[in-house]
Amino acid sequence: MEKIIGLIDAPFTPFYANGEVNYEPIEAYANMLVKNGLKGVFINGSSGEGYMLTEEERMRLAEKWVSVVPEGFKVIVHVGSTCVKSSFRLAQHAEQIGAWGIGAMATPFPRIGRIEELVKYCEEIACGAPHLPFYYYHIPAFNNAYLPMLDFLKAVDGRIPNFAGIKYTY
């Protein structure tokens, strides 16, 4: 699996004053990131307010990013949700549109309190896009999943073939 070398940005999602997603500035945003030497984006995560968006908005946002970036620029799509079926669907969509990878943080509800629950949650999502690298987004301040990541790494070994690493924000 290709390793990420360089900086990946977690861009904000632009909105209109009425709360609707504004897709128009994304191309200029992507061009600015490329010009400044970044190697990719991690969209629809906490900075991108993915949990506040509908599935359709998240998919359209991913489509827009994938369509405007140059070849080789990595688009990693956060697909986590409180509904594993939605996460699976978002993962499938990311693979279908040509995203470079996917990621998911632990669901804030219901709270995940054991390593085995976290592995199962990630496994169910990652298999939606089996050909894309899957990153677990560890951000316990948002979801109370204060679990030891070394134990998670040991437990996930061999269970998720496309597991690529942890986006560690703790």
Side-chain angles (χ1 to χ4, degrees), residues 125-149:
I125 295 168
C127 70
H131 301 104
L132 298 183
F134 172 81
Y135 292 88
Y136 171 61
Y137 181 5
H138 183 59
I139 185 166
F142 280 21
N143 53 28
N144 285 312
Y146 289 97
L147 300 170
M149 288 297 96

Side-chain angles (χ1 to χ4, degrees), residues 11 13-14 21 23 26 41-45 48 53-69 73-79 89-102 132:
T13 296
V21 176
Y23 303 94
I26 293 171
V41 288
F42 188 92
I43 64 164
N44 289 344
L53 304 175
T54 67
E55 278 185 45
E56 290 72 26
E57 288 170 326
R58 291 173 77 175
M59 288 188 284
R60 188 166 170 212
L61 199 57
E63 290 166 5
K64 182 66 175 182
W65 274 101
V66 168
S67 74
V68 300
V69 299
F73 192 84
K74 295 165 176 52
V75 177
I76 303 169
V77 182
H78 178 266
V79 298
R89 181 175 173 225
L90 291 166
Q92 283 182 315
H93 177 262
E95 186 168 275
Q96 290 166 354
I97 65 169
W100 184 84
I102 59 169
L132 298 183

